């Protein structure tokens, strides 16, 4: 039997239509029979989880562990999103992006084959009171910086300029050493030339992570990814989900809670209680400060990812954050997203407001 490297060297051509133009890409292709054997015929024992796109299975090919993302026929993510993800990831190489090993398109089946991440995803740890204790502050800070480096590569350092559009805790995978890798590029968009902003009538992403201008007007840019990063940063520091209710009157969310604590001079109260013994308080405070700069209402006020990394790695004085944009919790009527079942996605059914301090 040929080894995995030899299998990956066998390629076919897949076409991808973008704005009426056909782009061909040489991609490693796996046979359905090979994937089926690797996952023990997609057995429940091999199932790692499930998102809006469909289930993910663990498998083994020639001794190498793999993760197989199997597109569900009922998924809102269709062939275009599938090809989009394949072509994007095939062109990207960075230690903080998940590595695509190949894909399978056979009959009605469409699958992506990734490197296997033994520590699952970030949400598995930070939102669990017990498992969260296994990720101390130094490890969380390492994860934060790794995500920022991966996002900077997408925005600026790769040969493409890419807006992810669905950055969230469940899309941050963790390897054996807990290094973060950004995954799920089905909703990502490429910017060409000097383009800095795009517009869409079909808002896709995960409710609670979307920037106001994107959720409300369909405008997306690298700054809308910065907003999502700010939310993610708050979640990593606090161990709380963005859509939870944290005000005493139970009408707030994580942005509102963080902003209130900041205005009252009590920002460190946002910190996850399990981090008390392991944290560097000045570092935690700086992360909270940076997160609030990232979620400011106006996109122009938010820092770029290159600036974010400089802020995280220095002790320089940071600008004061302006009021954030945040969502009034309201269930959307529809869902067009790669979100997992316990996360709600949105299609413009969101109310945006500003939070003013009392």
């Amino acid at each position: 039997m040929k080894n995995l490297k030899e299998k990956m060297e066998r390629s076919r051509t897949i076409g991808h239509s973008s704005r009426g133009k056909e782009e061909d890409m040489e991609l490693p292709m796996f046979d359905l029979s090979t994937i089926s054997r690797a996952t023990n015929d997609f057995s429940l024992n091999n199932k790692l989880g499930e998102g809006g796109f469909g289930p993910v299975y663990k498998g083994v090919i020639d001794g190498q562990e793999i993760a197989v993302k199997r597109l569900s026929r009922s998924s809102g993510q269709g062939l275009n999103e599938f090809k989009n993800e394949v072509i994007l990831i095939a062109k990207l190489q960075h230690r903080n992006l998940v590595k695509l090993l190949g894909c399978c398109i056979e009959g009605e089946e469409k699958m992506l084959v990734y490197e296997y991440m033994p520590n699952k995803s970030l949400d598995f740890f930070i939102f669990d009171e017990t498992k969260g204790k296994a990720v101390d502050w130094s490890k969380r800070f390492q994860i934060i910086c790794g995500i920022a480096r991966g996002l900077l590569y997408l925005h600026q350092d790769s040969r493409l300029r890419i807006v992810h559009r669905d950055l969230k805790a469940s899309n941050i995978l963790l390897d054996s050493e807990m290094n973060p890798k950004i995954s799920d590029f089905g909703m990502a968009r490429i910017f060409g030339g000097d383009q800095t902003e795009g517009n869409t009538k079909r808002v896709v992403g995960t409710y609670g992570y979307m920037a106001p201008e994107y959720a409300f007007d369909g405008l997306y840019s690298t700054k809308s990814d910065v907003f999502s990063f700010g939310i993610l940063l708050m979640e990593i520091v606090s161990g709380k989900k963005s859509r939870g209710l944290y005000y005493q009157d139970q009408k707030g969310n994580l942005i509102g809670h963080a902003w209130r604590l900041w205005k009252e001079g009590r920002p460190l109260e946002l910190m996850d209680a399990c981090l008390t013994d392991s944290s560097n308080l000045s570092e935690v405070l700086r992360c909270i400060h940076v997160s609030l700069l990232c979620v400011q209402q106006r996109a122009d006020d938010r820092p770029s990812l290159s600036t974010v990394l400089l802020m995280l790695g220095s002790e320089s004085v940071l600008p004061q954050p302006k009021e954030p944009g945040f969502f009034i919790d309201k269930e959307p009527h529809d869902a067009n997203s790669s979100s997992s079942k316990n996360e709600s996605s949105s299609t413009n059914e969101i109310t945006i407001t500003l939070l003013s301090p009392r």
Side-chain angles (χ1 to χ4, degrees):
M1 187 176 184
K2 292 182 179 180
N3 63 35
L4 181 58
K5 185 176 180 180
E6 289 172 336
K7 285 188 177 74
M8 288 174 64
E9 287 172 352
R10 262 192 324 114
S11 324
R12 301 175 196 163
T13 300
I14 183 172
H16 175 67
S17 179
S18 175
R19 297 182 182 179
K21 295 181 180 180
E22 195 74 16
E23 178 182 348
D24 291 332
M25 185 78 190
E26 287 292 321
L27 295 167
M29 300 289 286
F30 290 94
D31 296 328
L32 178 57
S33 58
T34 301
I35 302 298
S36 184
R37 285 194 301 272
T39 59
N40 194 20
D41 200 22
F42 305 102
S43 72
L44 284 176
N45 290 336
N46 285 46
K47 190 173 180 179
L48 296 172
E50 186 156 357
F53 52 79
V56 178
Y57 297 89
K58 181 181 179 182
V60 179
I61 297 180
D62 299 315
Q64 179 172 341
E65 292 179 316
I66 60 170
V68 179
K69 177 177 172 180
R70 189 183 192 187
L71 189 69
S72 168
R73 296 181 188 182
S74 61
S75 168
Q77 184 178 3
L79 183 59
N80 285 339
E81 285 91 346
F82 177 85
K83 289 180 178 180
N84 186 65
E85 182 161 7
V86 172
I87 289 167
L88 279 178
I89 300 181
K91 292 180 178 180
L92 302 175
Q93 293 293 329
H94 190 274
R95 63 176 299 185
N96 295 117
L97 303 182
V98 70
K99 185 177 181 181
L100 179 70
L101 301 178
C103 64
C104 174
I105 303 177
E106 198 166 314
E108 295 296 315
E109 293 284 3
K110 295 184 283 290
M111 290 175 278
L112 295 171
V113 181
Y114 293 104
E115 59 179 332
Y116 173 65
M117 295 288 105
N119 281 315
K120 302 185 179 181
S121 53
L122 183 59
D123 59 322
F124 181 76
F125 288 93
I126 61 172
F127 300 140
D128 185 284
E129 190 172 332
T130 302
K131 295 184 180 70
K133 294 176 182 177
V135 190
D136 63 13
W137 174 249
S138 63
K139 181 58 66 176
R140 292 195 195 200
F141 188 68
Q142 178 185 327
I143 289 170
I144 288 165
C145 293
I147 297 168
R149 284 191 295 268
L151 203 53
L152 175 61
Y153 171 80
L154 293 177
H155 288 180
Q156 181 177 306
D157 295 336
S158 73
R159 58 195 181 97
L160 307 168
R161 185 182 299 134
I162 295 170
V163 178
H164 188 280
R165 296 205 307 168
D166 201 18
L167 192 71
K168 58 185 176 182
S170 61
N171 280 342
I172 305 300
L173 304 184
L174 301 168
D175 69 12
S176 59
E177 297 179 350
M178 298 294 283
N179 295 308
K181 294 178 184 281
I182 300 171
S183 70
D184 202 335
F185 289 78
M187 302 300 160
R189 289 294 178 267
I190 300 174
F191 281 171
D194 297 326
Q195 184 183 3
T196 59
E197 186 177 83
N199 181 266
T200 181
K201 293 181 180 178
R202 180 173 177 256
V203 174
V204 292
T206 302
Y207 190 71
Y209 288 89
M210 286 188 285
E213 71 278 3
Y214 178 50
F216 195 69
D217 296 319
L219 294 172
Y220 60 90
S221 66
T222 55
K223 292 299 184 73
S224 50
D225 273 355
V226 169
F227 186 96
S228 300
F229 176 79
I231 297 292
L232 191 52
L233 183 45
M234 282 184 188
E235 291 183 330
I236 294 170
V237 169
S238 68
K240 295 180 172 66
K241 295 183 179 181
S242 65
R243 295 189 64 204
L245 300 174
Y246 307 113
Y247 284 148
Q248 290 180 351
D249 59 12
Q250 294 296 291
K251 291 181 181 179
N253 57 14
L254 187 57
I255 297 180
H257 181 56
W259 182 245
R260 172 178 285 192
L261 290 175
W262 179 266
K263 296 300 289 185
E264 293 177 355
R266 302 182 290 129
L268 285 172
E269 291 184 25
L270 186 70
M271 184 177 66
D272 193 334
C274 75
L275 298 175
T276 303
D277 295 332
S278 69
S279 62
N280 175 330
L281 294 184
S282 63
E283 213 168 56
V284 173
L285 183 59
R286 178 164 287 265
C287 284
I288 294 170
H289 195 155
V290 170
S291 74
L292 287 168
L293 291 171
C294 289
V295 299
Q296 292 176 105
Q297 172 80 6
R298 294 182 67 252
D300 289 344
D301 290 332
R302 299 172 208 147
S304 65
L305 254 298
S306 57
T307 302
V308 165
L309 272 167
L310 288 173
M311 288 175 171
L312 291 172
S314 73
E315 296 182 1
S316 59
V317 176
L318 303 180
Q320 286 300 303
K322 298 177 183 177
E323 291 179 329
F326 81 108
F327 307 115
I328 294 175
D329 260 340
K330 168 187 166 190
E331 287 294 336
H333 299 301
D334 193 12
N336 281 316
S337 172
S338 59
S339 307
S340 60
K341 289 185 176 180
N342 63 350
E343 293 172 317
S344 297
S345 56
S346 170
T347 52
N348 266 344
E349 297 295 334
I350 296 177
T351 301
I352 311 294
T353 187
L354 284 174
L355 176 67
S356 299
R358 292 181 176 178

